[in-house]
Amino acid sequence: MNAKVKNVLKYLLSLALAVVLVWFALRSVDWNAFLEGLKLTRWIWLVPFFAACIGALVFRAFRWQTLLRASGQKSGWLTVWDANNIGNMANVALPGTGELLRCGYVSKKSGYGNVFGTVVMERAWDITAIVLLIVLAVVLDSSKFGPFFQEQVFAPFAGRFDFSLWWLVAAFVVLAALFFWAVFRFRSRNRFCGRVADAVASIGQGFASFGKLEHKWLFLLYTLGIWTMYLLMCYTIMRALPDLDALGIEDALFFTAIGNIASIIPVPGGIGAYHYLIALSVSSLYGGSWETGILFATLQHELHNVLVLALGVISYARTAIVSRREA
């Protein structure tokens, strides 16, 4: 099948999933109640919200730059910042494409696979952070958050199978191990296996870049900074809504964790998935209305996307101007 056709089909499937999730999230919304909540929003809290958004992006650029330097890529911070912004803008439309795009912007001296390995490593650390946030939220208030994750997140997924979810995980691990064994076993005999093996080796070099970091504590500090900013983003939106302003920092911690679970679902910009999970959390955990949950998710998600798109356009324009000058 033609590569362009495949990409179009992937996008259409992703968009269809987003439409379904949006329908589930909005089907029972009382729009009069939603608009009333919007009128009561304390807009002054959007100032620290946007400050936290930008702070997270700044920390991300610094963190990626440390990995790129360790892998042999001497990119300036502004170049890394622009690449991240352009990649984020692409991810709003089609999830996953931004990671490939931003690698292309900086992979000039070291190989593309090497740079892509640093991105994979970044994502591995982000997934680790999400897991830690979930664990921390459960530890802080196990009676509230523990049953929610069990009943609303894990049980519905596991319930679709007639066997334990762990059997599915085990089967996946075995199949993945057999696939990679075959790839490296026949890399010299089969062109496809050779390409996959070379790609895996390059990605492995990117992972190894963490071991080459001179100041690993700095990488960890940037990671802590990123997730602290995410926590503040949730906290400030909570303060902006009168129905949620009584909640504390541990609740913001929970919303940060549950919201980032939605980022794993492959829909454009996380549309629908984030709104559904947040609204479900507000209504089932805190006794709030579904409309309040949708309003919280809409302010958090859409305002962040507006900022991402604006910064992406600015960075794209700047790189285009610089390229013309250097041509």
Side-chain angles (χ1 to χ4, degrees), residues 130-297:
I130 293 173
V131 173
L132 290 176
L133 284 176
I134 293 173
V135 171
L136 186 57
V138 172
V139 169
L140 289 175
D141 198 340
S142 59
S143 62
K144 181 192 296 181
F145 302 131
F148 178 85
F149 283 111
Q150 178 62 33
E151 298 169 10
Q152 303 291 347
V153 179
F154 302 124
F157 179 75
R160 294 177 181 271
F161 302 95
D162 295 328
F163 49 87
S164 171
L165 184 60
W166 293 110
W167 284 107
L168 182 66
V169 174
F172 174 79
V173 171
V174 171
L175 289 175
L178 289 174
F179 172 77
F180 286 112
W181 174 83
V183 162
F184 283 95
R185 177 69 175 79
F186 300 105
R187 64 183 302 180
S188 59
R189 304 178 189 178
N190 182 275
R191 180 178 298 179
F192 171 77
C193 290
R195 289 180 177 178
V196 173
D198 291 342
V200 171
S202 297
I203 292 173
Q205 293 176 7
F207 272 105
S209 62
F210 180 76
K212 300 176 184 178
L213 289 176
E214 295 182 6
H215 304 291
K216 294 181 178 62
W217 61 268
L218 194 59
F219 176 89
L220 297 175
L221 188 62
Y222 289 148
T223 301
L224 179 62
I226 292 168
W227 289 91
T228 299
M229 292 299 105
Y230 287 160
L231 180 64
L232 290 176
M233 286 163 60
C234 278
Y235 185 79
T236 51
I237 295 298
M238 281 166 40
R239 285 290 169 269
L241 300 176
D243 289 344
L244 299 179
D245 66 354
L247 303 183
I249 196 69
E250 69 277 6
D251 300 299
L253 186 73
F254 168 77
F255 283 128
T256 303
I258 198 68
N260 277 279
I261 290 176
S263 66
I264 301 173
I265 302 174
V267 294
I271 297 173
Y274 182 82
H275 300 70
Y276 179 79
L277 285 177
I278 292 296
L280 180 65
S281 303
V282 170
S283 60
S284 59
L285 272 180
Y286 300 101
S289 67
W290 190 268
E291 290 74 23
T292 298
I294 291 295
L295 179 58
F296 175 67

Side-chain angles (χ1 to χ4, degrees), residues 9-176:
L9 289 176
K10 288 179 181 178
Y11 180 76
L12 290 177
L13 289 174
S14 177
L15 186 61
L17 178 58
V19 170
V20 171
L21 290 173
V22 168
W23 180 79
F24 271 110
L26 303 183
R27 60 177 176 169
S28 58
V29 171
D30 181 342
W31 291 105
N32 290 328
F34 177 87
L35 292 175
E36 187 62 30
L38 193 62
K39 292 177 183 177
L40 296 175
T41 300
R42 300 159 180 163
W43 298 103
I44 189 64
W45 281 99
L46 296 188
V47 175
F49 169 78
F50 281 120
C53 290
I54 294 174
L57 294 172
V58 169
F59 279 125
R60 278 200 173 277
F62 275 120
R63 188 180 70 170
W64 192 29
Q65 187 183 33
T66 62
L67 286 177
L68 289 172
R69 286 179 174 176
S71 67
Q73 180 67 39
K74 305 299 182 182
S75 298
W77 184 85
L78 193 56
T79 299
V80 175
W81 166 261
D82 286 335
N84 264 341
N85 288 338
I86 294 170
N88 291 335
M89 179 175 63
N91 277 335
V92 171
L94 187 60
T97 57
E99 314 308 331
L100 303 176
L101 190 60
R102 68 184 175 115
C103 288
Y105 269 87
V106 299
S107 58
K108 295 179 180 179
K109 295 182 180 179
S110 58
Y112 183 91
N114 195 17
V115 173
F116 185 70
T118 64
V119 172
V120 174
M121 183 180 169
E122 275 198 306
R123 289 294 168 258
W125 275 90
D126 289 338
I127 292 173
T128 302
I130 293 173
V131 173
L132 290 176
L133 284 176
I134 293 173
V135 171
L136 186 57
V138 172
V139 169
L140 289 175
D141 198 340
S142 59
S143 62
K144 181 192 296 181
F145 302 131
F148 178 85
F149 283 111
Q150 178 62 33
E151 298 169 10
Q152 303 291 347
V153 179
F154 302 124
F157 179 75
R160 294 177 181 271
F161 302 95
D162 295 328
F163 49 87
S164 171
L165 184 60
W166 293 110
W167 284 107
L168 182 66
V169 174
F172 174 79
V173 171
V174 171
L175 289 175

